Amino acid sequence: GAMARLAADAAAPRLEDVLGPTASVQAFVAASDGDWSLVMSQGIYECRAVSAPAAVPGTRRMAQPRDRALLADWVQRLSAEALAERLGDEDALARIGGHLARGTMHVWENADGAVSLAAAVAPTPNGIRINNVYTPPEHRRRGYASALVAALTQAVLHGGRTFAFLHTDLANPTSNGIYERIGYRRVAELQVLRRLAPAAGAPEVPSAG
């Protein structure tokens, strides 16, 4: 009953995406008009103790203003690869600028320079979220992302957080495996669904109520 009321309330303005626990999302869309498609099944992972990976050349450091152009390019590539979305140049630079101002973005750096990216954002009273994890193709399969996420997670735990958490695409077993090997465990699953556009020429039927 609650989901039916929420679905009716969300009908105007027209809701396009819904995200939440699988059972709740399925109940919501069942009570909504129109057809929906699955965008992504996500896993929520948390870590309370880090399992350090094998030694990887380099070290974690906080991103600096000199990294801005490079990291803007990386978040654009991440958006395209992970979400199939195009992030414009100005939006990417603004996003990195916000991270730099808040001190939330970190890189793994070796003798070649920055080779991987991650951020710690959205702190809660006990936890903090790790996101924007990205390694460009030319630096992959060398353990940089694992080393960076492990080091960043250890840093936030040492800083007083009880746990770190992150969202993954369950269709990507490689990234899920990486997080599990450094101490993350899956604690929940989410679904992201998107409402399909009505067929051309077919009027959309408004929700009752």
Side-chain angles (χ1 to χ4, degrees), residues 66-157:
R66 67 178 184 271
D67 303 310
R68 189 178 183 191
L70 175 65
L71 300 187
D73 176 62
W74 285 5
V75 298
Q76 286 178 298
R77 293 160 75 175
L78 172 62
S79 183
E81 287 185 28
L83 303 175
E85 295 178 355
R86 184 186 180 282
L87 184 65
D89 293 345
E90 291 186 5
D91 289 339
L93 288 168
R95 183 177 298 184
I96 296 301
H99 280 290
L100 293 175
R102 296 187 297 271
T104 53
M105 189 156 275
H106 301 253
V107 299
W108 189 260
E109 185 175 63
N110 63 15
D112 297 324
V115 292
S116 193
L117 167 69
V121 302
T124 72
N126 297 302
I128 196 164
R129 181 180 178 186
I130 306 298
N131 72 354
N132 282 290
V133 179
Y134 182 75
T135 303
E138 61 271 23
H139 296 306
R140 291 177 186 171
R141 294 179 292 280
R142 301 177 190 177
Y144 297 141
S146 296
L148 175 55
V149 173
L152 181 54
T153 301
Q154 191 65 72
V156 299
L157 295 178

